[in-house]
Amino acid sequence: MNEVTLPKLIATSVVRGSQQGESHGGVYTIDFARQEAAQRLDWNTADIDWEGRGADRGLRGVALDGDDIYVAASDELFVYDPDFSPLRSFRNRYLKHCHEICRMERMLFVTSTGYDSLLAFNLDSGQFEWGFHLQRHGGNWSGHTFDPRGETGPRPVNDFHINMVHVDGTGIYLSGLKTRALLHINNQMQVSVVCDLPAGTHNARPWLNGVVFNDTASDCVRYVSRDGGEKAFKIVSYDESQLQYAGVDDTNIARQAFGRGLCPVGERFIAAGSSPSTITLYDLATNQVVGSVNLSMDIRNAIHGLEVWPFD
Protein backbone atom coordinates (compact mmCIF):
# COMPACT_ATOMS: atom_id res chain seq x y z
CA MET A 1 0.00 0.00 0.00
CA ASN A 2 3.04 2.30 0.20
CA GLU A 3 2.60 3.46 -3.39
CA VAL A 4 -1.05 4.42 -2.83
CA THR A 5 -2.02 7.87 -1.59
CA LEU A 6 -4.74 7.40 1.00
CA PRO A 7 -7.58 9.91 0.87
CA LYS A 8 -8.85 12.73 3.00
CA LEU A 9 -12.61 12.73 3.48
CA ILE A 10 -15.35 14.97 4.79
CA ALA A 11 -18.12 13.31 6.81
CA THR A 12 -21.33 14.40 8.46
CA SER A 13 -22.96 12.68 11.40
CA VAL A 14 -26.45 12.46 12.88
CA VAL A 15 -27.95 11.31 16.17
CA ARG A 16 -30.37 8.40 15.90
CA GLY A 17 -32.93 7.04 18.31
CA SER A 18 -35.56 8.13 20.78
CA GLN A 19 -33.15 9.08 23.58
CA GLN A 20 -30.97 11.61 21.82
CA GLY A 21 -29.77 13.55 24.86
CA GLU A 22 -26.72 15.77 24.46
CA SER A 23 -24.80 13.71 21.94
CA HIS A 24 -22.49 15.84 19.82
CA GLY A 25 -21.63 15.54 16.16
CA GLY A 26 -21.58 17.60 13.00
CA VAL A 27 -18.95 17.76 10.27
CA TYR A 28 -15.54 16.11 10.38
CA THR A 29 -12.51 15.80 8.13
CA ILE A 30 -10.65 12.50 8.17
CA ASP A 31 -7.06 11.89 7.09
CA PHE A 32 -6.61 8.17 6.43
CA ALA A 33 -2.87 8.45 5.91
CA ARG A 34 -2.50 9.76 9.45
CA GLN A 35 -5.50 7.91 10.88
CA GLU A 36 -6.71 11.23 12.28
CA ALA A 37 -10.01 13.10 12.37
CA ALA A 38 -10.92 16.68 13.23
CA GLN A 39 -14.34 18.07 14.05
CA ARG A 40 -14.89 21.10 11.83
CA LEU A 41 -18.48 21.96 12.74
CA ASP A 42 -20.37 21.17 15.95
CA TRP A 43 -24.11 21.07 15.34
CA ASN A 44 -24.77 22.24 18.92
CA THR A 45 -23.01 25.53 18.17
CA ALA A 46 -24.09 25.92 14.54
CA ASP A 47 -27.13 28.11 15.32
CA ILE A 48 -29.49 25.50 13.86
CA ASP A 49 -32.85 24.65 15.39
CA TRP A 50 -32.92 20.85 15.64
CA GLU A 51 -36.42 20.50 17.05
CA GLY A 52 -38.89 18.53 14.97
CA ARG A 53 -36.21 17.02 12.74
CA GLY A 54 -37.68 13.54 12.62
CA ALA A 55 -35.97 10.30 13.61
CA ASP A 56 -32.47 11.71 13.04
CA ARG A 57 -31.11 15.11 13.97
CA GLY A 58 -27.90 16.40 12.50
CA LEU A 59 -26.28 17.10 9.17
CA ARG A 60 -26.87 14.84 6.20
CA GLY A 61 -25.66 14.97 2.59
CA VAL A 62 -22.54 16.89 1.60
CA ALA A 63 -21.31 18.15 -1.81
CA LEU A 64 -18.61 20.54 -2.98
CA ASP A 65 -18.65 23.27 -5.61
CA GLY A 66 -15.32 25.05 -5.92
CA ASP A 67 -14.65 26.56 -2.50
CA ASP A 68 -18.29 26.21 -1.43
CA ILE A 69 -19.23 23.31 0.82
CA TYR A 70 -22.93 22.43 0.68
CA VAL A 71 -24.29 20.54 3.68
CA ALA A 72 -27.92 19.48 4.00
CA ALA A 73 -29.91 19.45 7.20
CA SER A 74 -33.41 18.03 7.34
CA ASP A 75 -35.11 20.98 5.64
CA GLU A 76 -32.35 23.48 4.95
CA LEU A 77 -29.31 23.65 2.67
CA PHE A 78 -26.26 25.31 4.26
CA VAL A 79 -23.18 26.69 2.52
CA TYR A 80 -19.77 26.99 4.21
CA ASP A 81 -16.29 28.03 3.13
CA PRO A 82 -13.31 25.63 3.58
CA ASP A 83 -12.81 27.00 7.11
CA PHE A 84 -16.47 26.24 7.84
CA SER A 85 -17.53 29.81 8.24
CA PRO A 86 -21.24 30.01 7.30
CA LEU A 87 -21.92 31.81 4.02
CA ARG A 88 -25.64 31.40 3.33
CA SER A 89 -28.51 28.94 3.53
CA PHE A 90 -31.61 28.03 1.52
CA ARG A 91 -35.03 26.56 2.25
CA ASN A 92 -37.92 25.33 0.14
CA ARG A 93 -41.47 24.35 1.02
CA TYR A 94 -40.93 20.96 -0.69
CA LEU A 95 -37.67 20.15 1.13
CA LYS A 96 -38.38 17.84 4.06
CA HIS A 97 -36.25 15.15 5.74
CA CYS A 98 -33.42 15.51 3.22
CA HIS A 99 -30.87 12.71 3.09
CA GLU A 100 -28.21 12.66 0.35
CA ILE A 101 -27.27 15.34 -2.19
CA CYS A 102 -25.25 15.21 -5.42
CA ARG A 103 -23.74 17.89 -7.65
CA MET A 104 -23.83 17.55 -11.44
CA GLU A 105 -22.35 20.51 -13.31
CA ARG A 106 -24.27 23.60 -12.11
CA MET A 107 -27.13 21.76 -10.43
CA LEU A 108 -27.29 20.26 -6.96
CA PHE A 109 -29.73 17.35 -6.72
CA VAL A 110 -31.33 16.91 -3.31
CA THR A 111 -33.45 14.09 -1.90
CA SER A 112 -36.67 15.30 -0.31
CA THR A 113 -37.61 12.17 1.57
CA GLY A 114 -40.72 13.68 3.15
CA TYR A 115 -42.22 14.32 -0.30
CA ASP A 116 -41.01 11.17 -2.15
CA SER A 117 -39.24 13.65 -4.40
CA LEU A 118 -35.99 14.96 -5.80
CA LEU A 119 -35.25 18.68 -6.01
CA ALA A 120 -32.65 20.42 -8.18
CA PHE A 121 -30.97 23.54 -6.84
CA ASN A 122 -29.33 25.90 -9.35
CA LEU A 123 -25.90 26.78 -7.97
CA ASP A 124 -25.75 29.99 -10.02
CA SER A 125 -29.23 31.38 -9.38
CA GLY A 126 -29.46 30.14 -5.80
CA GLN A 127 -32.95 28.73 -6.36
CA PHE A 128 -34.65 25.34 -6.29
CA GLU A 129 -35.76 25.22 -9.92
CA TRP A 130 -36.90 21.63 -10.59
CA GLY A 131 -38.67 18.86 -8.78
CA PHE A 132 -39.55 15.23 -9.54
CA HIS A 133 -42.17 13.30 -7.56
CA LEU A 134 -41.69 9.52 -7.65
CA GLN A 135 -44.77 7.29 -7.91
CA ARG A 136 -45.59 3.61 -8.29
CA HIS A 137 -48.81 2.16 -9.66
CA GLY A 138 -49.01 -1.58 -9.32
CA GLY A 139 -45.60 -2.80 -10.36
CA ASN A 140 -44.80 0.17 -12.58
CA TRP A 141 -42.61 3.10 -11.57
CA SER A 142 -43.37 6.57 -12.87
CA GLY A 143 -43.31 10.18 -11.75
CA HIS A 144 -43.84 13.75 -12.77
CA THR A 145 -41.94 17.01 -12.63
CA PHE A 146 -43.06 20.08 -10.72
CA ASP A 147 -41.82 23.60 -10.06
CA PRO A 148 -40.69 23.87 -6.41
CA ARG A 149 -41.06 27.67 -6.64
CA GLY A 150 -44.83 27.28 -7.03
CA GLU A 151 -47.64 26.00 -4.85
CA THR A 152 -48.85 23.08 -6.97
CA GLY A 153 -46.28 20.47 -5.98
CA PRO A 154 -46.89 17.12 -4.27
CA ARG A 155 -48.38 16.68 -0.84
CA PRO A 156 -46.17 15.36 1.98
CA VAL A 157 -45.78 11.60 1.56
CA ASN A 158 -43.00 9.17 2.42
CA ASP A 159 -43.90 5.84 0.81
CA PHE A 160 -40.43 5.05 -0.55
CA HIS A 161 -38.09 6.85 1.88
CA ILE A 162 -35.81 8.12 -0.90
CA ASN A 163 -32.37 8.43 0.66
CA MET A 164 -29.95 8.48 -2.27
CA VAL A 165 -29.44 10.36 -5.53
CA HIS A 166 -26.59 10.05 -8.02
CA VAL A 167 -26.43 11.96 -11.30
CA ASP A 168 -24.03 11.54 -14.22
CA GLY A 169 -24.09 11.78 -18.00
CA THR A 170 -26.37 8.75 -18.28
CA GLY A 171 -29.18 10.16 -16.15
CA ILE A 172 -30.49 10.34 -12.61
CA TYR A 173 -30.26 7.39 -10.24
CA LEU A 174 -32.18 7.14 -6.98
CA SER A 175 -33.08 4.60 -4.34
CA GLY A 176 -34.65 4.37 -0.92
CA LEU A 177 -35.28 2.13 2.05
CA LYS A 178 -38.51 0.90 0.49
CA THR A 179 -37.83 1.01 -3.26
CA ARG A 180 -36.08 -2.40 -3.22
CA ALA A 181 -34.44 -1.27 -6.45
CA LEU A 182 -31.99 1.19 -7.91
CA LEU A 183 -34.07 3.37 -10.23
CA HIS A 184 -33.07 5.42 -13.27
CA ILE A 185 -34.73 8.55 -14.68
CA ASN A 186 -33.91 9.29 -18.33
CA ASN A 187 -34.13 12.58 -20.21
CA GLN A 188 -37.78 11.85 -21.01
CA MET A 189 -38.51 11.59 -17.28
CA GLN A 190 -39.24 7.88 -17.61
CA VAL A 191 -38.43 5.69 -14.62
CA SER A 192 -36.90 2.24 -15.01
CA VAL A 193 -35.32 -0.36 -12.73
CA VAL A 194 -31.55 -0.75 -12.98
CA CYS A 195 -31.37 -3.66 -10.53
CA ASP A 196 -33.08 -5.09 -7.48
CA LEU A 197 -31.77 -4.18 -4.03
CA PRO A 198 -32.30 -5.60 -0.53
CA ALA A 199 -34.81 -3.80 1.69
CA GLY A 200 -33.23 -1.15 3.90
CA THR A 201 -30.43 -0.29 1.48
CA HIS A 202 -28.54 3.02 1.74
CA ASN A 203 -26.28 4.85 -0.74
CA ALA A 204 -26.90 2.64 -3.79
CA ARG A 205 -25.27 4.00 -6.94
CA PRO A 206 -23.66 2.78 -10.16
CA TRP A 207 -19.91 2.36 -9.92
CA LEU A 208 -17.39 0.79 -12.31
CA ASN A 209 -19.23 -2.07 -14.04
CA GLY A 210 -21.94 -2.53 -11.45
CA VAL A 211 -23.53 -1.09 -8.34
CA VAL A 212 -22.19 -0.37 -4.85
CA PHE A 213 -24.30 0.11 -1.72
CA ASN A 214 -24.62 -0.24 2.02
CA ASP A 215 -26.59 -3.42 2.63
CA THR A 216 -27.61 -1.99 5.98
CA ALA A 217 -29.86 -4.84 7.11
CA SER A 218 -27.01 -7.33 6.56
CA ASP A 219 -24.32 -5.11 8.17
CA CYS A 220 -22.11 -5.10 5.10
CA VAL A 221 -20.96 -3.03 2.12
CA ARG A 222 -21.51 -4.69 -1.25
CA TYR A 223 -20.26 -4.25 -4.79
CA VAL A 224 -22.09 -6.30 -7.41
CA SER A 225 -20.89 -6.27 -11.02
CA ARG A 226 -23.08 -6.69 -14.09
CA ASP A 227 -21.59 -10.14 -14.73
CA GLY A 228 -22.85 -11.32 -11.36
CA GLY A 229 -19.59 -11.08 -9.45
CA GLU A 230 -19.89 -9.77 -5.90
CA LYS A 231 -17.65 -8.47 -3.16
CA ALA A 232 -18.94 -7.94 0.36
CA PHE A 233 -17.22 -6.35 3.33
CA LYS A 234 -18.45 -6.80 6.88
CA ILE A 235 -19.06 -3.52 8.69
CA VAL A 236 -16.85 -2.84 11.70
CA SER A 237 -18.32 -3.72 15.09
CA TYR A 238 -17.02 -3.25 18.61
CA ASP A 239 -17.12 -5.08 21.91
CA GLU A 240 -20.30 -4.07 23.71
CA SER A 241 -18.25 -2.88 26.69
CA GLN A 242 -16.69 -0.17 24.49
CA LEU A 243 -20.02 1.36 23.45
CA GLN A 244 -21.44 4.43 25.13
CA TYR A 245 -25.20 4.74 25.76
CA ALA A 246 -25.82 1.17 24.57
CA GLY A 247 -29.36 0.13 25.37
CA VAL A 248 -30.76 3.63 25.95
CA ASP A 249 -32.88 3.55 22.80
CA ASP A 250 -36.05 1.56 23.42
CA THR A 251 -36.91 1.69 19.69
CA ASN A 252 -33.68 -0.15 18.74
CA ILE A 253 -33.06 2.45 16.02
CA ALA A 254 -29.64 3.22 17.48
CA ARG A 255 -27.47 0.15 16.97
CA GLN A 256 -23.88 -0.53 16.07
CA ALA A 257 -22.75 -1.59 12.57
CA PHE A 258 -25.62 0.40 11.00
CA GLY A 259 -24.13 1.13 7.56
CA ARG A 260 -24.84 4.52 6.00
CA GLY A 261 -22.64 6.95 4.10
CA LEU A 262 -20.59 5.80 1.13
CA CYS A 263 -18.04 7.36 -1.17
CA PRO A 264 -16.07 5.65 -3.95
CA VAL A 265 -12.47 6.88 -4.04
CA GLY A 266 -11.11 6.47 -7.56
CA GLU A 267 -11.63 3.02 -9.06
CA ARG A 268 -10.16 0.98 -6.24
CA PHE A 269 -11.38 2.12 -2.85
CA ILE A 270 -14.74 2.54 -1.12
CA ALA A 271 -15.11 4.65 2.01
CA ALA A 272 -18.19 3.75 4.03
CA GLY A 273 -19.70 4.95 7.28
CA SER A 274 -21.36 3.19 10.21
CA SER A 275 -22.38 3.64 13.82
CA PRO A 276 -21.02 4.40 16.30
CA SER A 277 -19.53 7.04 14.01
CA THR A 278 -16.82 5.18 12.10
CA ILE A 279 -15.45 5.57 8.58
CA THR A 280 -13.80 2.51 7.03
CA LEU A 281 -11.76 2.35 3.82
CA TYR A 282 -12.11 -0.83 1.75
CA ASP A 283 -9.76 -1.93 -1.04
CA LEU A 284 -11.53 -3.84 -3.82
CA ALA A 285 -8.22 -4.78 -5.47
CA THR A 286 -7.04 -6.76 -2.42
CA ASN A 287 -10.40 -7.46 -0.74
CA GLN A 288 -9.03 -5.95 2.45
CA VAL A 289 -9.91 -3.28 4.97
CA VAL A 290 -7.30 -0.54 4.70
CA GLY A 291 -8.26 1.03 8.01
CA SER A 292 -10.98 2.60 10.13
CA VAL A 293 -11.23 5.92 11.92
CA ASN A 294 -13.66 6.20 14.82
CA LEU A 295 -15.13 9.59 15.74
CA SER A 296 -17.32 8.61 18.69
CA MET A 297 -18.26 5.51 20.65
CA ASP A 298 -21.72 6.93 21.38
CA ILE A 299 -24.05 4.34 19.82
CA ARG A 300 -26.50 7.12 18.87
CA ASN A 301 -23.91 8.93 16.73
CA ALA A 302 -23.92 7.68 13.13
CA ILE A 303 -22.19 8.72 9.91
CA HIS A 304 -24.45 10.10 7.20
CA GLY A 305 -22.66 11.91 4.34
CA LEU A 306 -19.20 11.20 2.88
CA GLU A 307 -17.17 12.91 0.17
CA VAL A 308 -13.52 13.26 -0.79
CA TRP A 309 -12.01 16.34 0.90
CA PRO A 310 -10.04 18.36 -1.70
CA PHE A 311 -8.58 21.04 0.58
CA ASP A 312 -5.60 21.17 2.97
Side-chain angles (χ1 to χ4, degrees), residues 137-165:
H137 301 286
N140 298 317
W141 292 99
S142 63
H144 63 85
T145 60
F146 64 95
D147 188 344
R149 294 165 293 189
E151 299 182 2
T152 57
R155 289 177 290 184
V157 61
N158 184 5
D159 289 338
F160 310 121
H161 201 86
I162 299 171
N163 59 27
M164 182 62 185
V165 60

Short mmCIF file of all heavy atoms in Angstrom, two decimals, residues 137-165:
data_model
loop_
_atom_site.label_atom_id
_atom_site.label_comp_id
_atom_site.label_asym_id
_atom_site.label_seq_id
_atom_site.Cartn_x
_atom_site.Cartn_y
_atom_site.Cartn_z
N HIS A 137 -47.45 2.65 -9.48
CA HIS A 137 -48.81 2.16 -9.66
C HIS A 137 -48.72 0.68 -10.03
O HIS A 137 -48.23 0.33 -11.10
CB HIS A 137 -49.53 2.94 -10.75
CG HIS A 137 -49.62 4.42 -10.47
ND1 HIS A 137 -50.47 4.95 -9.52
CD2 HIS A 137 -48.94 5.47 -11.00
CE1 HIS A 137 -50.33 6.26 -9.48
NE2 HIS A 137 -49.40 6.60 -10.36
N GLY A 138 -49.20 -0.15 -9.12
CA GLY A 138 -49.01 -1.58 -9.32
C GLY A 138 -47.53 -1.90 -9.26
O GLY A 138 -46.84 -1.56 -8.32
N GLY A 139 -47.02 -2.51 -10.31
CA GLY A 139 -45.60 -2.80 -10.36
C GLY A 139 -44.81 -1.84 -11.21
O GLY A 139 -43.63 -2.07 -11.48
N ASN A 140 -45.43 -0.75 -11.64
CA ASN A 140 -44.80 0.17 -12.58
C ASN A 140 -44.39 1.47 -11.91
O ASN A 140 -45.21 2.13 -11.25
CB ASN A 140 -45.76 0.48 -13.74
CG ASN A 140 -46.12 -0.76 -14.53
OD1 ASN A 140 -45.25 -1.59 -14.84
ND2 ASN A 140 -47.41 -0.91 -14.85
N TRP A 141 -43.12 1.84 -12.10
CA TRP A 141 -42.61 3.10 -11.57
C TRP A 141 -42.87 4.22 -12.56
O TRP A 141 -42.78 4.04 -13.77
CB TRP A 141 -41.11 2.99 -11.32
CG TRP A 141 -40.73 2.08 -10.20
CD1 TRP A 141 -40.30 0.79 -10.30
CD2 TRP A 141 -40.75 2.39 -8.80
NE1 TRP A 141 -40.06 0.26 -9.06
CE2 TRP A 141 -40.32 1.22 -8.12
CE3 TRP A 141 -41.09 3.52 -8.07
CZ2 TRP A 141 -40.21 1.18 -6.73
CZ3 TRP A 141 -40.98 3.48 -6.68
CH2 TRP A 141 -40.55 2.32 -6.03
N SER A 142 -43.18 5.39 -12.03
CA SER A 142 -43.37 6.57 -12.87
C SER A 142 -43.12 7.80 -12.00
O SER A 142 -42.63 7.69 -10.87
CB SER A 142 -44.79 6.61 -13.46
OG SER A 142 -45.75 6.70 -12.43
N GLY A 143 -43.47 8.95 -12.51
CA GLY A 143 -43.31 10.18 -11.75
C GLY A 143 -43.61 11.38 -12.62
O GLY A 143 -43.87 11.25 -13.83
N HIS A 144 -43.58 12.54 -12.00
CA HIS A 144 -43.84 13.75 -12.77
C HIS A 144 -43.01 14.89 -12.20
O HIS A 144 -42.66 14.91 -11.01
CB HIS A 144 -45.33 14.11 -12.74
CG HIS A 144 -45.85 14.42 -11.36
ND1 HIS A 144 -45.74 15.67 -10.78
CD2 HIS A 144 -46.47 13.64 -10.44
CE1 HIS A 144 -46.28 15.65 -9.57
NE2 HIS A 144 -46.73 14.43 -9.35
N THR A 145 -42.70 15.84 -13.06
CA THR A 145 -41.94 17.01 -12.63
C THR A 145 -42.88 18.06 -12.05
O THR A 145 -44.08 18.06 -12.31
CB THR A 145 -41.15 17.61 -13.80
OG1 THR A 145 -42.06 18.01 -14.83
CG2 THR A 145 -40.15 16.60 -14.36
N PHE A 146 -42.31 18.95 -11.25
CA PHE A 146 -43.06 20.08 -10.72
C PHE A 146 -42.08 21.23 -10.45
O PHE A 146 -40.87 21.02 -10.38
CB PHE A 146 -43.83 19.71 -9.44
CG PHE A 146 -42.97 19.32 -8.28
CD1 PHE A 146 -42.60 20.25 -7.31
CD2 PHE A 146 -42.52 18.01 -8.13
CE1 PHE A 146 -41.81 19.90 -6.22
CE2 PHE A 146 -41.73 17.64 -7.04
CZ PHE A 146 -41.37 18.59 -6.09
N ASP A 147 -42.63 22.42 -10.32
CA ASP A 147 -41.82 23.60 -10.06
C ASP A 147 -41.83 23.87 -8.56
O ASP A 147 -42.87 24.25 -8.00
CB ASP A 147 -42.37 24.81 -10.82
CG ASP A 147 -41.46 26.03 -10.73
OD1 ASP A 147 -40.57 26.05 -9.85
OD2 ASP A 147 -41.66 26.98 -11.52
N PRO A 148 -40.70 23.67 -7.86
CA PRO A 148 -40.69 23.87 -6.41
C PRO A 148 -40.84 25.32 -5.99
O PRO A 148 -40.96 25.62 -4.80
CB PRO A 148 -39.33 23.30 -5.99
CG PRO A 148 -38.48 23.39 -7.21
CD PRO A 148 -39.41 23.20 -8.38
N ARG A 149 -40.83 26.25 -6.96
CA ARG A 149 -41.06 27.67 -6.64
C ARG A 149 -42.55 27.98 -6.57
O ARG A 149 -42.93 29.06 -6.09
CB ARG A 149 -40.39 28.55 -7.70
CG ARG A 149 -38.86 28.44 -7.70
CD ARG A 149 -38.25 29.03 -8.94
NE ARG A 149 -38.59 28.24 -10.14
CZ ARG A 149 -38.04 28.43 -11.33
NH1 ARG A 149 -37.13 29.38 -11.50
NH2 ARG A 149 -38.40 27.67 -12.36
N GLY A 150 -43.39 27.06 -7.04
CA GLY A 150 -44.83 27.28 -7.03
C GLY A 150 -45.52 26.61 -5.86
O GLY A 150 -44.88 26.12 -4.93
N GLU A 151 -46.84 26.56 -5.93
CA GLU A 151 -47.64 26.00 -4.85
C GLU A 151 -48.43 24.77 -5.30
O GLU A 151 -49.34 24.33 -4.58
CB GLU A 151 -48.61 27.07 -4.32
CG GLU A 151 -47.90 28.28 -3.74
CD GLU A 151 -48.87 29.29 -3.18
OE1 GLU A 151 -50.09 29.02 -3.21
OE2 GLU A 151 -48.42 30.35 -2.70
N THR A 152 -48.08 24.21 -6.44
CA THR A 152 -48.85 23.08 -6.97
C THR A 152 -48.03 21.80 -7.00
O THR A 152 -48.25 20.92 -7.82
CB THR A 152 -49.34 23.40 -8.40
OG1 THR A 152 -48.21 23.71 -9.24
CG2 THR A 152 -50.31 24.58 -8.38
N GLY A 153 -47.09 21.67 -6.07
CA GLY A 153 -46.28 20.47 -5.98
C GLY A 153 -46.98 19.36 -5.22
O GLY A 153 -48.16 19.47 -4.86
N PRO A 154 -46.29 18.28 -4.95
CA PRO A 154 -46.89 17.12 -4.27
C PRO A 154 -47.22 17.41 -2.81
O PRO A 154 -46.65 18.33 -2.20
CB PRO A 154 -45.82 16.04 -4.40
CG PRO A 154 -44.54 16.81 -4.50
CD PRO A 154 -44.87 18.04 -5.28
N ARG A 155 -48.10 16.61 -2.27
CA ARG A 155 -48.38 16.68 -0.84
C ARG A 155 -47.34 15.85 -0.08
O ARG A 155 -46.70 14.97 -0.65
CB ARG A 155 -49.79 16.13 -0.57
CG ARG A 155 -50.89 17.04 -1.06
CD ARG A 155 -52.26 16.44 -0.83
NE ARG A 155 -52.50 15.28 -1.70
CZ ARG A 155 -53.64 14.62 -1.75
NH1 ARG A 155 -54.64 14.97 -0.96
NH2 ARG A 155 -53.79 13.60 -2.57
N PRO A 156 -47.15 16.14 1.21
CA PRO A 156 -46.17 15.36 1.98
C PRO A 156 -46.52 13.88 2.00
O PRO A 156 -47.63 13.50 2.36
CB PRO A 156 -46.27 15.96 3.39
CG PRO A 156 -46.84 17.33 3.19
CD PRO A 156 -47.77 17.21 2.01
N VAL A 157 -45.59 13.05 1.55
CA VAL A 157 -45.78 11.60 1.56
C VAL A 157 -44.40 10.95 1.57
O VAL A 157 -43.46 11.45 0.96
CB VAL A 157 -46.60 11.13 0.33
CG1 VAL A 157 -45.89 11.48 -0.97
CG2 VAL A 157 -46.90 9.64 0.40
N ASN A 158 -44.28 9.85 2.30
CA ASN A 158 -43.00 9.17 2.42
C ASN A 158 -43.22 7.67 2.27
O ASN A 158 -43.02 6.89 3.19
CB ASN A 158 -42.35 9.50 3.77
CG ASN A 158 -40.97 8.90 3.93
OD1 ASN A 158 -40.42 8.30 3.00
ND2 ASN A 158 -40.39 9.05 5.11
N ASP A 159 -43.66 7.26 1.07
CA ASP A 159 -43.90 5.84 0.81
C ASP A 159 -42.62 5.07 0.52
O ASP A 159 -42.54 3.87 0.80
CB ASP A 159 -44.85 5.69 -0.38
CG ASP A 159 -46.27 6.11 -0.06
OD1 ASP A 159 -46.64 6.12 1.14
OD2 ASP A 159 -47.02 6.44 -1.01
N PHE A 160 -41.63 5.75 -0.06
CA PHE A 160 -40.43 5.05 -0.55
C PHE A 160 -39.17 5.38 0.24
O PHE A 160 -38.16 4.72 0.09
CB PHE A 160 -40.20 5.39 -2.03
CG PHE A 160 -41.42 5.21 -2.88
CD1 PHE A 160 -41.95 6.27 -3.61
CD2 PHE A 160 -42.08 3.99 -2.93
CE1 PHE A 160 -43.08 6.13 -4.38
CE2 PHE A 160 -43.23 3.83 -3.70
CZ PHE A 160 -43.73 4.90 -4.43
N HIS A 161 -39.22 6.41 1.07
CA HIS A 161 -38.09 6.85 1.88
C HIS A 161 -36.83 7.00 1.01
O HIS A 161 -35.80 6.36 1.22
CB HIS A 161 -37.81 5.88 3.03
CG HIS A 161 -37.03 6.50 4.15
ND1 HIS A 161 -37.63 7.20 5.16
CD2 HIS A 161 -35.70 6.55 4.39
CE1 HIS A 161 -36.71 7.65 5.98
NE2 HIS A 161 -35.52 7.26 5.54
N ILE A 162 -36.94 7.86 0.00
CA ILE A 162 -35.81 8.12 -0.90
C ILE A 162 -34.64 8.67 -0.09
O ILE A 162 -34.77 9.70 0.57
CB ILE A 162 -36.21 9.11 -2.00
CG1 ILE A 162 -37.35 8.54 -2.86
CG2 ILE A 162 -35.01 9.45 -2.89
CD1 ILE A 162 -37.95 9.55 -3.82
N ASN A 163 -33.51 7.99 -0.13
CA ASN A 163 -32.37 8.43 0.66
C ASN A 163 -31.09 8.60 -0.14
O ASN A 163 -30.04 8.91 0.42
CB ASN A 163 -32.12 7.46 1.83
CG ASN A 163 -31.85 6.03 1.39
OD1 ASN A 163 -31.36 5.79 0.29
ND2 ASN A 163 -32.17 5.07 2.25
N MET A 164 -31.16 8.41 -1.47
CA MET A 164 -29.95 8.48 -2.27
C MET A 164 -30.25 9.02 -3.66
O MET A 164 -31.26 8.64 -4.28
CB MET A 164 -29.31 7.09 -2.39
CG MET A 164 -28.00 7.07 -3.18
SD MET A 164 -26.71 8.09 -2.38
CE MET A 164 -25.40 7.99 -3.60
N VAL A 165 -29.38 9.91 -4.15
CA VAL A 165 -29.44 10.36 -5.53
C VAL A 165 -28.02 10.43 -6.07
O VAL A 165 -27.09 10.86 -5.38
CB VAL A 165 -30.16 11.73 -5.66
CG1 VAL A 165 -29.45 12.81 -4.85
CG2 VAL A 165 -30.29 12.14 -7.10
#
